[in-house]
């Protein structure tokens, strides 16, 4: 309808990821001061403005402004606000709650995407954007009216010291914090780099279209279960064991993927998809759990927003490793060799996070 190239639209998504990180940090600053209702309201307002721009857009810069900048910031603000609010209300089961919320985010994307596609096909792109403006804006504004900062204050008083009590600055200077940042960045690279090429990898070894779709479904389902199960594990086990378990999932998963490229075996790539999906889901939940452990509880929102910015360099590195190297070599073998080496390296790093 608009005549824009794939590279121009892809750049809009990259910008959206950048401004998502900005929204995460801004939301962390506001929520650290207990301004949850303000953050919910701001998220709703930004969504309304962003989709209104998309509804009326006629130029490429309006796509970048509405989707990349405004909606990107809104996504970051909304995500950190929901997670921070839940951690304050349910401090005793923070791992399980974060796992449930992260799984819900993943499921909503899977469920909402076909619905949005049908809306666009039936009513047109502009009408779909107007519908999103009204629907999402209304839900977020109603949600803002339901948030009670008074309840959060009571929960904060009753929860005790669920974290280490280490303040933000001293934690940022600690080795274990930066080991975790490196660990999270590497596994974001491995996970996002492969997930973006999962279907193409299956086709590359001779999978049929049905087998390829099934492989992607296995990855998505295991990603959701990984978020829920690993979140629960953080409430039941020492965090070092959970990090090592996630690392082992990535190591065995990348080995399976490499073997699938060498042997052209469909079973290997299915196993690799399951393990990478589960491990990547677990790594996403780890941000919330580790921040709760490493930092004082009152600093959760800000530090969670900071840690989530590992997604940007991780995604870019993953894109270079999988997409660009495979395009240059004509095969995914070298890409998976690099991903396997990085996973083994990260297993060693996970043992240093103490």
């Amino acid at each position: 309808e608009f005549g824009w190239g794939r590279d121009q639209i892809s750049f809009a998504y990259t910008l959206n990821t950048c401004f998502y990180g900005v929204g995460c940090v801004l939301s962390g600053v506001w929520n650290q001061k207990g301004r949850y209702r303000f953050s919910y309201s701001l998220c709703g307002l930004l969504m309304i403005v962003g989709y209104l721009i998309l509804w009326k857009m006629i130029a490429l810069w309006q796509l970048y402004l509405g989707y990349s900048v405004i909606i990107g910031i809104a996504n970051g603000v909304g995500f950190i606000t929901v997670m921070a609010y839940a951690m304050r209300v349910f401090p005793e089961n923070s791992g399980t709650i974060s796992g449930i919320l992260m799984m819900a985010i993943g499921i909503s994307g899977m469920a909402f995407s076909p619905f949005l596609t049908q809306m666009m096909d039936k009513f047109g792109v502009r009408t779909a954007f107007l519908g999103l403006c009204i629907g999402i804006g209304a839900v977020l504004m109603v949600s803002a009216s339901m948030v009670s900062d008074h309840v959060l204050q009571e929960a904060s008083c009753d929860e005790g010291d669920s974290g280490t009590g280490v303040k933000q600055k001293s934690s940022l200077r600690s080795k274990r914090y930066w080991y975790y940042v490196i660990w999270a960045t590497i596994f974001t690279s491995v996970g996002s780099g492969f997930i973006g090429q999962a279907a193409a990898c299956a086709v590359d070894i001779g999978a049929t279209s049905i087998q390829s779709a099934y492989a992607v479904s296995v990855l998505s389902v295991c990603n959701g279960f990984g978020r829920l199960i690993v979140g629960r594990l953080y409430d039941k086990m020492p965090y070092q064991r959970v990090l090592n378990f996630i690392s082992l999932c990535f190591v065995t998963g990348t080995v399976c993927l490499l073997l699938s490229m060498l042997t052209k075996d469909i079973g290997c790539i299915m196993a690799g998809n399951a393990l990478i999906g589960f491990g990547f889901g677990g790594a996403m939940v780890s941000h919330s759990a580790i921040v709760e452990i490493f930092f004082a509880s009152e600093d959760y929102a800000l530090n969670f927003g900071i840690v989530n910015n590992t997604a940007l360099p991780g995604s870019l590195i993953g894109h270079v490793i999988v997409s660009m190297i495979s395009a240059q070599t004509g095969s995914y073998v070298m890409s998976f060799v690099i991903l396997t080496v990085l996973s083994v390296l990260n297993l060693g790093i996970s043992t240093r996070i103490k």
Side-chain angles (χ1 to χ4, degrees):
E1 178 177 344
F2 299 100
W4 301 324
R6 183 173 298 180
D7 56 337
Q8 294 172 312
I9 297 175
S10 177
F11 181 65
Y13 176 77
T14 301
L15 279 180
N16 178 277
T17 304
C18 294
F19 282 95
Y20 165 83
V22 173
C24 286
V25 175
L26 291 175
S27 180
V29 173
W30 297 322
N31 292 328
Q32 190 181 27
K33 300 176 181 179
R35 303 177 69 181
Y36 294 89
R37 181 171 294 180
F38 168 78
S39 296
Y40 269 106
S41 301
L42 179 63
C43 179
L45 180 62
L46 289 174
M47 285 290 186
I48 291 172
V49 173
Y51 281 114
L52 282 176
I53 292 175
L54 295 181
W55 176 43
K56 291 293 187 181
M57 69 178 174
I58 56 175
L60 184 61
W61 68 267
Q62 293 171 317
L63 173 67
Y64 294 151
L65 175 62
Y67 172 72
S68 302
V69 179
I70 298 177
I71 294 179
I73 292 175
N75 285 337
V77 171
F79 175 66
I80 298 301
T81 301
V82 169
M83 295 297 294
Y85 182 83
M87 293 303 101
R88 302 303 289 168
V89 176
F90 304 102
E92 296 178 356
N93 299 291
S94 57
T96 302
I97 295 300
S98 61
I100 292 173
L101 289 174
M102 293 293 287
M103 184 176 71
I105 292 171
I107 292 174
S108 66
M110 293 174 58
F112 193 66
S113 180
F115 172 73
L116 181 58
T117 301
Q118 290 182 354
M119 282 185 61
M120 290 182 174
D121 291 340
K122 187 173 183 179
F123 302 107
V125 175
R126 296 184 184 278
T127 303
F129 285 144
L130 179 60
L132 290 174
C133 171
I134 297 171
I136 294 177
V139 169
L140 288 171
M141 288 303 183
V142 171
S143 299
S145 67
M146 298 171 65
V147 174
S148 173
D149 291 337
H150 178 66
V151 172
L152 293 174
Q153 291 171 359
E154 290 178 354
S156 179
C157 292
D158 293 338
E159 70 175 275
D161 185 17
S162 60
T164 61
V166 181
K167 295 297 182 180
Q168 178 197 354
K169 291 183 179 180
S170 60
S171 292
L172 291 175
R173 294 171 183 169
S174 68
K175 289 183 179 179
R176 68 174 182 171
Y177 172 76
W178 290 109
Y179 277 133
Y180 178 75
V181 169
I182 295 171
W183 181 90
T185 302
I186 290 177
F187 277 154
T188 300
S189 303
V190 175
S192 62
F194 169 68
I195 288 172
Q197 299 291 320
C201 290
V203 172
D204 192 63
I205 66 170
T208 65
S209 58
I210 296 177
Q211 289 173 326
S212 176
Y214 181 66
V216 175
S217 297
V218 167
L219 190 150
S220 299
V221 170
C222 289
N223 183 283
F225 279 113
R227 298 180 186 205
L228 178 62
I229 293 172
V230 171
R232 185 63 176 167
L233 290 178
Y234 273 113
D235 288 334
K236 298 295 183 180
M237 297 171 57
Y239 71 88
Q240 295 95 337
R241 293 184 182 180
V242 182
L243 291 175
N244 291 338
F245 171 65
I246 295 171
S247 301
L248 285 172
C249 287
F250 271 101
V251 171
T252 53
T254 51
V255 169
C256 287
L257 293 176
L258 179 58
L259 289 174
S260 72
M261 291 295 113
L262 297 174
T263 64
K264 307 299 181 182
D265 184 77
I266 300 296
C268 282
I269 202 168
M270 293 295 183
N273 280 18
L275 289 164
I276 293 295
F278 187 93
F280 190 59
M284 295 298 97
V285 175
S286 296
H287 294 346
S288 175
I290 292 298
V291 166
E292 182 74 11
I293 293 167
F294 282 8
F295 295 95
S297 297
E298 60 268 24
D299 294 327
Y300 174 87
L302 177 59
N303 294 310
F304 184 49
I306 294 173
V307 169
N308 265 278
N309 278 280
T310 58
L312 178 57
S315 298
L316 293 175
I317 295 170
H319 174 74
V320 170
I321 293 174
V322 179
S323 300
M324 297 183 66
I325 293 179
S326 63
Q328 291 292 326
T329 61
S331 169
Y332 288 102
V333 172
M334 181 56 65
S335 296
F336 288 156
V337 167
I338 296 173
L339 294 184
T340 302
V341 171
L342 287 175
S343 297
V344 173
L345 173 65
N346 236 19
L347 177 59
I349 292 175
S350 70
T351 63
R352 305 284 296 179
I353 305 174
K354 299 178 180 179

